């Protein structure tokens, strides 16, 4: 009996099959080019006013399977910037079912009143409060990345998502008693909602952790420039 010969033949056959399938796999691996007619522009659409927000076509067409006419032209014109010029491209309109809110209502897609970070991103640079003096800076990354706080914890009620919320609040009184009351209210209403010595350090005990002063802010901004000098700008 010659079993040896049979197994040699099948080994050769196996080797041949493996070689061909490897070659086949190789050719089918070539990337298919992105088809903008089929899926819309590949680059994200970014708004910068009044705040920063991003929309991705591929997420909606390729991933969620929507056709162009689910949005164009009934909900959005096929022209970047058109909605922004209409004057009502706001969260309030979304809540009323317009624009992004015609789907992002918690039924068709996640509710736009939640998950702010899916569409918005926090500024990288610290925000410097300038009234009445340049003295306080607020760093998103400490709170969001290190502290793990969701945007909603601050931006639902306490801070509108724009610079100047605190500065636009009622300004100081000259009378000493009123002023003290005013200051307490100011701190309690904003940073003090967390900086109350239970959720985060209390504002009454550690003024200078926030009030770093003009020098502190200059140093902070100098430090930032130095970092950027090393090559990577964050924008
Ligand atoms: C889920 C909604 C949605 C769908 C689906 C959608 N788009 Fe858009 N599209 C938008 C929005 C939002 C804009 C920006 C409009 C604005 O800024 O007013 C836009 C803008 C555009 C623009 C203009 C880009 C520019 O730079 O001016 C083109 C072109 C476009 N879409 C093509 C398509 C095509 C093609 C499809 C289907 C394959 C498609 N879109 C599907 C929402 C959508
Ligand atoms: C025609 C319906 C429709 C409109 C209009 C629409 N979306 Fe969506 N969107 C969807 C669906 C469906 C999904 C996928 C399901 C989900 O994530 O809830 C989605 C998902 C998303 C996601 C999640 C992406 C991810 O996977 O992390 C973002 C962000 C988003 N949309 C932003 C927007 C913005 C910004 C607008 C307005 C400029 C908008 N969408 C308008 C239907 C829509
Ligand atoms: C589905 C995407 C989406 C989600 C989720 C979303 N936004 Fe928006 N938001 C937008 C778009 C688009 C605009 C209009 C363009 C711009 O201002 O950049 C906008 C505008 C805004 C504005 C300025 C205009 C206005 O309405 O006053 C604020 C403030 C804002 N969003 C806050 C929030 C907060 C807070 C959350 C979470 C509770 C949130 N957004 C969740 C897409 C979204
Ligand atoms: C711990 C509180 C806190 C959290 C959490 C937080 N923010 Fe803010 N945010 C602020 C404060 C304070 C301001 C400045 C308000 C002012 O100037 O009056 C601000 C301002 C902003 C601005 C306006 C910046 C400008 O230059 O106009 C944007 C945009 C913003 N936040 C986005 C976000 C996003 C997106 C998230 C979640 C990823 C987030 N924030 C999480 C407190 C917070
Ligand atoms: C939603 C809650 C919340 C709000 C609102 C909030 N913070 Fe904080 N903050 C925290 C937490 C949590 C920490 C980390 C714990 C700690 O240091 O006690 C923190 C830490 C800090 C730190 C210390 C950072 C470090 O490097 O150690 C500073 C400074 C600060 N916050 C400033 C502010 C200012 C200024 C405001 C108002 C514009 C503010 N925070 C509003 C929750 C908040
Ligand atoms: C958690 C951060 C934080 C802490 C801690 C803190 N402050 Fe403030 N304070 C602010 C912010 C934000 C403002 C408003 C922006 C500005 O005036 O620069 C402010 C404003 C002020 C103002 C000016 C208000 C006006 O309009 O005249 C005074 C005065 C002040 N704080 C005193 C204090 C004193 C005193 C302490 C300590 C007992 C303290 N702050 C602790 C964040 C803080």
């Amino acid at each position: 009996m010659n079993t040896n010969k049979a197994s040699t033949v099948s080994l050769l056959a196996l080797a041949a099959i493996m070689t061909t399938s490897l070659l086949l796999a190789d050719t089918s691996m070539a990337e298919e080019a992105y088809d903008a007619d089929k899926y819309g522009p590949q680059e994200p659409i970014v708004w910068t006013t009044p705040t920063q927000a991003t929309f991705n076509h591929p997420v909606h067409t390729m991933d969620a399977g929507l056709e162009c006419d689910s949005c164009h032209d009934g909900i959005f014109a096929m022209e970047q910037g058109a909605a922004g010029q209409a004057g009502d491209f706001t969260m309030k309109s979304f809540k009323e079912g317009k624009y992004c809110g015609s789907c992002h209502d918690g039924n068709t897609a996640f509710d736009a009143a939640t998950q702010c970070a899916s569409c918005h991103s926090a500024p990288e640079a610290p925000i410097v409060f300038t009234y009445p003096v340049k003295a306080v800076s607020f760093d998103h990354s400490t709170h969001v990345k290190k502290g793990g706080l969701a945007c909603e914890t601050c931006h639902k009620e306490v801070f509108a998502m724009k610079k100047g919320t605190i500065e636009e609040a009622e300004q100081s009184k000259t009378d000493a008693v009123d002023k003290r009351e005013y200051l307490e209210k100011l701190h309690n209403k904003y940073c003090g909602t967390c900086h109350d010595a239970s959720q985060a350090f209390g504002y009454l005990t550690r003024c200078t952790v926030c009030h770093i002063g003009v020098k502190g802010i200059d140093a902070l901004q100098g430090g930032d420039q130095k970092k950027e000098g090393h090559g990577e700008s964050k924008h």
Side-chain angles (χ1 to χ4, degrees):
M1 274 210 290
N2 196 344
T3 47
N4 258 355
K5 195 178 177 194
S7 52
T8 313
V9 169
S10 56
L11 264 179
L12 280 172
L14 194 66
I17 291 167
M18 281 175 69
T19 318
T20 8
S21 55
L22 276 176
L23 283 172
L24 281 176
D26 233 27
T27 44
S28 64
M29 230 123 83
E31 281 265 344
E32 223 179 282
Y34 181 87
D35 186 350
D37 290 337
K38 205 164 154 200
Y39 300 125
Q42 187 172 19
E43 289 296 307
I45 293 196
V46 180
W47 294 275
T48 52
T49 50
T51 186
Q52 207 243 38
T54 307
F55 172 85
N56 273 297
H57 274 92
V59 165
H60 289 85
T61 50
M62 255 163 112
D63 303 347
L66 295 171
E67 302 290 336
C68 312
D69 67 8
S70 352
C71 290
H72 299 302
D73 290 328
I75 302 174
F76 289 104
M78 214 182 262
E79 188 195 338
Q80 190 163 347
Q85 272 163 20
D88 65 343
F89 195 37
T90 60
M91 299 306 295
K92 188 163 168 280
S93 287
F94 299 174
K95 202 163 204 163
E96 290 159 1
K98 288 190 203 155
Y99 303 111
C100 315
S102 54
C103 299
H104 287 278
D105 58 358
N107 284 320
T108 313
F110 73 86
D111 189 343
T114 62
Q115 289 181 225
C116 322
S118 302
C119 302
H120 294 289
S121 46
E124 300 258 347
I127 288 177
V128 173
F129 296 96
T130 50
Y131 186 89
V133 281
K134 253 170 75 172
V136 177
S137 106
F138 174 82
D139 188 359
H140 272 91
S141 75
T142 318
H143 289 85
V144 175
K145 290 192 190 130
K146 254 167 70 190
L149 295 169
C151 319
E152 290 86 326
T153 47
C154 290
H155 287 300
K156 216 133 199 187
E157 277 143 27
V158 182
F159 303 100
M161 207 182 266
K162 67 179 209 286
K163 234 177 137 180
T165 314
I166 294 184
E167 279 94 337
E168 278 160 22
E170 195 195 338
Q171 296 308 340
S172 9
K173 303 285 195 305
T174 38
D175 176 79
V177 178
D178 274 4
K179 174 142 186 175
R180 201 180 142 183
E181 214 170 85
Y182 157 79
L183 273 180
E184 266 181 32
K185 269 201 201 134
L186 176 88
H187 288 86
N188 282 339
K189 188 169 171 204
Y190 295 106
C191 314
T193 51
C194 296
H195 288 281
D196 59 355
S198 77
Q199 300 170 71
F201 70 84
Y203 75 82
L204 281 174
T205 48
R206 296 174 61 192
C207 316
T208 52
V209 180
C210 293
H211 287 272
I212 60 174
V214 181
K215 275 191 190 150
I217 283 167
D218 285 347
L220 190 82
Q221 287 171 338
D224 263 10
Q225 275 157 21
K226 246 192 230 151
K227 246 188 252 153
E228 281 180 6
H230 282 298
E232 17 104 78
S233 144
K234 290 174 197 145
H235 300 284

